Amino acid sequence: LLNLSLYEEGLVAHERALAINPIYIHAWCGKGSALHKLKRHAEAIRAFGQALAIDPSEVFAWNNIGVALKNLQRYEEAIQAYERALLIEPNDVDALTNKGVALKNLKRFDDAIYAYDLALKVDPSHFPGWYNKGIALEALRCYDEAIQAYDRALALEDDPRARAIYFSNLGESRMAMGALDAAIAVARPGNKIGDLSAAIGAVASVADITTRRRSARAPFVARSRSASASSIGTHLQAVIPSSRCGLVA
């Protein structure tokens, strides 16, 4: 039911299962997942907590408690939950990537990149790892490395909305809007890929990002198109001496 986006029905089904067997850990995790999809994050945390009361080594529950805490903007607590998951399974790419997202939200971009790198070392084809790494690198003004990370992400999952945000990050508003046209085309009601509201949200994101980034990005674009690779490196070091530029795998 959850895979069919029938979240209310899924919640009811898991609650019925728990009425029969209150220690059925997968039903508690399923209930937590349904509550998460319904944006009832505090209740989701309690459901996953019940799963952990049965089995404290349930990585899925720790990871999703972290996601719920992140959605409540309780980022430090989210990181603690992800770290509990990673104590059990150090190579869990979802926990590593989610930890990176929480660190990014705290503006700890270097630490976030390190977490993404660990995830990508385990799974080099992990789209969220590359895409979120691009965002963190861009926040550090490591534009060239950010573009490389975005390119790796798009090579793995050429989603029109991701492509739209990618072009907007580069200040390429015309190409961004073209990608959004594609996003809207695949997001008609009833289409499994997504819905129209998500595409409209992407339009707003592109408009906002393009406006905010153009002034910061334009001088770099102008210089980078005529500069050598070495001079680009010199320019980036001058802008942010302590950045992690150059660490794209």
Side-chain angles (χ1 to χ4, degrees):
L1 290 173
L2 297 185
N3 290 335
L4 297 173
S5 300
L6 300 173
Y7 306 129
E8 292 283 2
E9 294 86 343
L11 178 60
V12 170
H14 286 109
E15 287 177 337
R16 287 177 178 171
L18 289 166
I20 298 169
N21 182 2
I23 60 170
Y24 185 28
I25 189 169
H26 296 298
W28 281 114
C29 288
K31 179 178 179 178
S33 296
L35 289 164
H36 164 70
K37 293 293 187 180
L38 293 168
K39 303 188 185 303
R40 293 161 60 178
H41 303 302
E43 293 175 77
I45 291 170
R46 290 193 288 272
F48 289 121
Q50 290 289 340
L52 290 169
I54 300 166
D55 181 3
S57 67
E58 179 57 55
V59 171
F60 180 85
W62 281 117
N63 194 26
N64 281 280
I65 283 177
V67 172
L69 288 165
K70 184 266 296 181
N71 289 333
L72 293 171
Q73 299 184 356
R74 293 160 59 181
Y75 302 125
E76 294 285 2
E77 294 172 82
I79 291 168
Q80 293 175 21
Y82 298 136
E83 288 176 343
R84 289 294 297 270
L86 291 167
L87 282 174
I88 301 162
E89 179 47 70
N91 291 329
D92 188 281
V93 292
D94 291 329
L96 287 166
T97 303
N98 288 337
K99 180 181 177 180
V101 171
L103 288 164
K104 178 203 71 176
N105 288 332
L106 291 171
K107 301 189 185 303
R108 293 167 56 184
F109 300 114
D110 285 320
D111 292 334
I113 291 168
Y114 181 71
Y116 299 140
D117 282 341
L118 290 176
L120 292 167
K121 184 177 180 180
V122 176
D123 182 6
S125 65
H126 189 54
F127 170 82
W130 285 114
Y131 186 69
N132 283 289
K133 183 174 181 177
I135 292 172
L137 284 163
E138 185 188 353
L140 291 173
R141 299 186 182 182
C142 294
Y143 297 119
D144 199 49
E145 289 84 351
I147 291 169
Q148 292 177 46
Y150 288 135
D151 282 342
R152 291 291 295 268
L154 289 167
L156 294 167
E157 185 175 323
D158 194 8
D159 178 84
R161 283 185 294 161
R163 182 170 287 278
I165 298 298
Y166 166 65
F167 283 126
S168 72
N169 286 347
L170 301 182
E172 300 286 354
S173 57
R174 180 182 60 80
M175 297 181 74
M177 296 309 295
L180 280 169
D181 286 341
I184 292 171
V186 301
R188 301 299 182 190
N191 192 303
K192 294 181 180 179
I193 297 177
D195 57 35
L196 191 56
S197 63
I200 292 171
V203 173
S205 296
V206 167
D208 179 56
I209 293 171
T210 301
T211 299
R212 288 187 290 107
R213 303 279 170 81
R214 185 179 290 119
S215 60
R217 175 66 181 161
F220 173 80
V221 172
R223 279 191 289 269
S224 65
R225 283 175 177 167
S226 60
S228 65
S230 59
S231 65
I232 290 174
T234 301
H235 166 68
L236 289 172
Q237 290 171 8
V239 173
I240 34 174
S242 61
S243 79
R244 289 172 56 90
C245 292
L247 294 185
V248 174

